[in-house]
Amino acid sequence: TQSTRPQRLLGAVQKNATRGDPRSVVKAIDHFCRNQEWAMNVGDEKGCILDSVVSEVNPATVLELGTYCGYSTVRIASLLPPHAKLITLEFNPDFAAIARQVIAWAGLEHKVQLVEGASGDWIPKMKEQFGVETFDLVFLDHWKDRYLPDTHLMEECGLLRKGSVLLADNVICPGTPDYLEFVRSSPRYKSQYFKSHLEYTKVEDGLEKSVFLG
Ligand SMILES: O=C(NCCNC(=O)c1cc(-c2ccc(F)cc2)cc(O)c1O)c1cc(O)ncn1
Ligand SMILES: [Mg+2]
């Protein structure tokens, strides 16, 4: 039977990356996506912006919406302080199965809790299920039409505090127009656009960083 692209991406990690070395996992995925097959990871260019925001926020609690194969999960988790926790939500069970193995290859499973299911179902259960108070950083990289409703949901569930940072991928391509309009016009957010390119291409894309003002 035919392998899937995520399965081939995992194969490239297991072949070319060193177990327990997150940077080599990131490098192996970027090499695979540049030279073999494009895949919708945040990629190396936007990944550097992600790294700088993670380092600046130095979060104790992180929520990632949209795990895919775990590329950004590995980037973020490898920068977290010792007792910090990253919860990553993935709807697609096939993506989740690959991501677990990529995260394990990087040796980061103890820092990451991968949850399978729909963000809309899980966000209201975060506090009771995972003992989370608020998130210091949220990385939005899931279905583009869920960014805005899930942001409202996180606010309603009291998961954001004064200073919580939302970092959103793909605000230009594929685009999240309703989300962008909201965070840029709402008095409760301070937003900043980081111009970049769609992963592994010359197409414009960017990350939007929005600080919740409470
Ligand atoms: O597709 C699911 N999630 C990925 C969300 N992410 C994206 O869709 C995404 C897409 C692109 C992209 C950009 C240009 C292009 F031509 C094609 C795709 C880039 C990115 O950086 C993304 O992040 C999904 C499936 C499923 O069955 N259940 C739950 N989620
Ligand atoms: Mg993306």
Side-chain angles (χ1 to χ4, degrees):
T1 57
Q2 275 299 308
S3 67
T4 65
R5 179 166 307 180
Q7 283 170 334
R8 294 191 292 272
L9 181 149
L10 173 62
V13 166
Q14 293 170 333
K15 179 164 176 278
N16 304 315
T18 307
R19 266 186 181 283
D21 177 356
R23 301 314 304 169
S24 75
V25 169
V26 168
K27 205 167 154 55
I29 294 172
D30 284 330
H31 186 271
F32 173 80
C33 293
R34 280 196 182 287
N35 299 281
Q36 261 85 39
E37 303 180 62
W38 185 91
M40 57 184 168
N41 317 115
V42 73
D44 43 354
E45 191 180 307
K46 288 186 289 178
C48 286
I49 300 165
L50 171 63
D51 291 355
S52 63
V53 172
V54 173
S55 302
E56 172 205 342
V57 176
N58 198 33
T61 55
V62 183
L63 175 63
E64 177 180 61
L65 299 175
T67 317
Y68 186 41
C69 295
Y71 173 90
S72 49
T73 319
V74 167
R75 285 196 86 117
I76 296 167
S78 67
L79 294 173
L80 294 183
H83 304 291
K85 286 290 289 178
L86 193 171
I87 298 174
T88 183
L89 288 187
E90 179 49 58
F91 174 90
N92 184 311
D94 300 322
F95 296 169
I98 297 298
R100 288 189 199 286
Q101 297 174 79
V102 168
I103 293 160
W105 197 269
L108 291 167
E109 55 274 53
H110 59 291
K111 281 186 172 295
V112 176
Q113 171 121 35
L114 196 161
V115 180
E116 286 182 45
S119 51
D121 297 339
W122 276 104
I123 286 169
K125 296 193 283 191
M126 280 291 149
K127 291 192 184 226
E128 65 182 291
Q129 291 288 324
F130 305 109
V132 165
E133 274 303 301
T134 56
F135 287 107
D136 301 323
L137 174 67
V138 182
F139 181 52
L140 297 93
D141 193 22
H142 59 330
W143 277 336
K144 308 315 160 193
D145 62 359
R146 289 296 314 177
Y147 284 27
L148 186 54
D150 286 345
T151 297
H152 290 315
L153 196 52
M154 287 188 285
E155 282 187 32
E156 286 152 23
C157 297
L159 289 168
L160 303 180
R161 53 142 175 99
K162 189 173 168 49
S164 289
V165 173
L166 304 185
L167 188 65
D169 189 26
N170 309 119
V171 295
I172 305 299
C173 177
T176 63
D178 59 344
Y179 173 82
L180 217 44
E181 165 59 30
F182 172 74
V183 289
R184 289 178 173 176
S185 60
S186 168
R188 301 182 71 194
Y189 290 88
K190 176 88 184 86
S191 271
Q192 183 183 1
Y193 176 60
F194 293 84
K195 183 177 162 68
S196 184
H197 296 93
L198 177 68
E199 48 267 28
Y200 318 113
T201 76
K202 292 185 167 34
V203 174
E204 183 180 343
D205 189 22
L207 299 174
E208 188 83 0
K209 177 190 168 197
S210 306
V211 183
F212 185 59
L213 302 174

